[in-house]
Amino acid sequence: MSEIRLADDDKDKKYRIRINEDGEEEFEIIEPEEQPEEDFVGLQADIDEDETMAEEDDELMAAAREEQKRLAVEEARGFIEKAKERASAGDTEYALVALDSAQEAWDEEWEIYSLKLELLTNNFTDFTHAEECASLEEGYKKYVPEEVKQEFRGKYAENIQKEIDSLQTVADKTKEENEAKKADRRVRFKARRNKSLRNFIIAFVPFLIFLGVAIGLSTYMIYDDVILVFAIIFYVLAAAAFVLSVICLRFLARDAHRVHLNELDSSTAIGRSYLDCSGKIEALKSVYDMLMYTAPVKEEKAEYAAIIDGEVSEI
């Protein structure tokens, strides 16, 4: 029995030619198999249940985060209040420790940074800890309210600028004195280095000569005892020149190192004083910039403002 798939407008039907009992050909329609219907209602119910559970989990996690935040804020506020009490009692060191604990608990409390600045500088009259003050820049700019920043600018910015100017005068004077002493030492140290270099050359060149002659004589000493004696003599001279070269090289290395150290500010007391003063100036400039910082105001886009104006006019 042959079977043919025929084209038809109804794509769901199939046809075939079969031989009936009388021996005649006839068309037979093959009905498409019925597909078992899935339980869409049950599937949708499972999906809804999963979504509900996910939403509940998100709500529980959000609630847990809020509770954790609340506890951290309470802990930080407690440390801040303790710091205020100790600061009022004159115990600055303990107050700073309490503020460090508050910052570890919740670093978004703005009073941490304003109080630290006042305590570290004794209300901006002592700038010994300027570097530590500069480390508060990020938190100060991010969390301290604008009205507090304005108050600090009005009260303390002038003091910082005066301190910067005073330190800059000291730094300039110290640098001038340091450079003058470096120039004086530079002449003496370079002279010693050049002398050591000359002595090393005087010792090392003969070593090369004696060694070359000794090696040259060594190729002929088996033929003549006199050449053997001279070869030994030149080897001894080369060894003596080598020892002398090593000694001169040590002096040359020492004097060259002194020339190098002389150019480093950190190698002398006055140079270190200049570096400390310069570092404090940079830190104070960072503190000054921090106090003068004003958060940028976000401007509305023209298109958005026009839309809003249009909606308001229509109303």
Side-chain angles (χ1 to χ4, degrees):
M1 178 176 59
S2 62
E3 180 176 326
I4 302 175
R5 170 76 181 273
L6 300 178
D8 192 88
D9 292 337
D10 191 350
K11 300 301 181 181
D12 294 333
K13 292 182 180 181
K14 294 180 181 178
Y15 301 87
R16 69 182 176 181
I17 299 174
R18 64 183 296 273
I19 307 299
N20 59 17
E21 295 177 355
D22 298 331
E24 298 176 350
E25 294 182 352
E26 63 178 9
F27 280 105
E28 180 182 10
I29 300 174
I30 302 176
E31 298 292 340
E33 296 181 1
E34 296 182 359
Q35 299 295 330
E37 296 183 0
E38 298 182 3
D39 187 3
F40 291 104
V41 177
L43 180 60
Q44 185 63 38
D46 292 339
I47 294 175
D48 293 341
E49 183 179 356
D50 291 341
E51 291 179 351
T52 302
M53 293 179 63
E55 291 176 358
E56 291 178 353
D57 290 342
D58 291 341
E59 292 176 357
L60 289 174
M61 292 179 64
R65 286 193 295 268
E66 287 297 324
E67 179 64 16
Q68 184 178 9
K69 176 181 176 180
R70 184 185 65 82
L71 293 176
V73 171
E74 287 183 358
E75 183 179 5
R77 292 303 309 171
F79 283 121
I80 290 173
E81 294 302 323
K82 186 178 295 185
K84 290 180 179 179
E85 293 177 2
R86 301 313 304 171
S88 299
D91 194 349
T92 302
E93 184 175 354
Y94 188 94
L96 289 171
V97 172
L99 290 175
D100 288 338
S101 301
Q103 190 170 357
E104 292 177 2
W106 186 253
D107 62 355
E108 296 183 14
E109 282 293 327
W110 65 268
E111 284 189 293
I112 295 173
Y113 306 98
S114 60
L115 285 173
K116 270 191 173 184
L117 281 174
E118 291 181 322
L119 290 174
L120 288 170
T121 60
N122 191 19
N123 290 326
F124 289 86
T125 59
D126 180 7
F127 299 98
T128 307
H129 304 285
E131 290 82 0
E132 190 172 352
C133 292
S135 67
L136 303 173
E137 181 176 3
E138 182 179 355
Y140 180 89
K141 290 181 177 180
K142 189 173 182 180
Y143 301 118
V144 176
E146 186 59 33
E147 57 270 16
V148 178
K149 292 177 182 176
Q150 291 179 358
E151 180 184 354
F152 272 46
R153 281 195 292 270
K155 291 172 61 177
Y156 304 129
E158 185 178 356
N159 292 351
I160 296 178
Q161 187 59 57
K162 289 181 179 179
E163 184 68 15
I164 292 174
D165 295 339
S166 175
L167 285 175
Q168 189 64 57
T169 302
V170 175
D172 292 340
K173 182 178 179 181
T174 305
K175 181 180 180 180
E176 182 179 355
E177 183 180 356
N178 183 44
E179 291 298 326
K181 291 185 177 181
K182 284 168 62 175
D184 179 62
R185 291 192 301 268
R186 188 180 296 117
V187 173
R188 291 185 286 109
F189 288 164
K190 284 188 174 182
R192 291 178 184 176
R193 183 198 60 186
N194 294 338
K195 181 179 179 181
S196 297
L197 178 61
R198 184 180 67 253
N199 293 338
F200 171 73
I201 293 174
I202 292 174
F204 190 69
V205 170
F207 160 72
L208 294 177
I209 295 173
F210 293 150
L211 181 63
V213 172
I215 293 174
L217 293 175
S218 298
T219 59
Y220 300 100
M221 63 183 183
I222 58 176
Y223 304 110
D224 192 339
D225 292 339
V226 176
I227 295 177
L228 174 62
V229 172
F230 278 106
I232 295 174
I233 292 174
F234 276 104
Y235 272 119
V236 172
L237 291 174
F242 176 76
V243 173
L244 185 60
S245 298
V246 172
I247 296 173
C248 292
L249 182 62
R250 293 185 60 184
F251 284 107
L252 175 61
R254 181 200 62 186
D255 294 334
H257 185 60
R258 286 178 177 175
V259 172
H260 171 69
L261 287 179
N262 183 60
E263 303 303 322
L264 301 178
D265 292 325
S266 58
S267 62
T268 60
I270 189 172
R272 288 190 293 271
S273 176
Y274 167 70
L275 290 177
D276 291 341
C277 194
S278 299
K280 186 174 292 185
I281 290 173
E282 292 301 319
L284 283 175
K285 286 182 178 179
S286 298
V287 176
Y288 182 81
D289 293 340
M290 176 174 62
L291 292 187
M292 301 304 293
Y293 172 80
T294 302
V297 179
K298 296 182 180 180
E299 297 181 357
E300 291 183 333
K301 292 184 178 180
E303 298 86 353
Y304 179 76
I307 293 173
I308 297 299
D309 293 341
E311 292 178 352
V312 172
S313 62
E314 288 178 3
I315 295 175

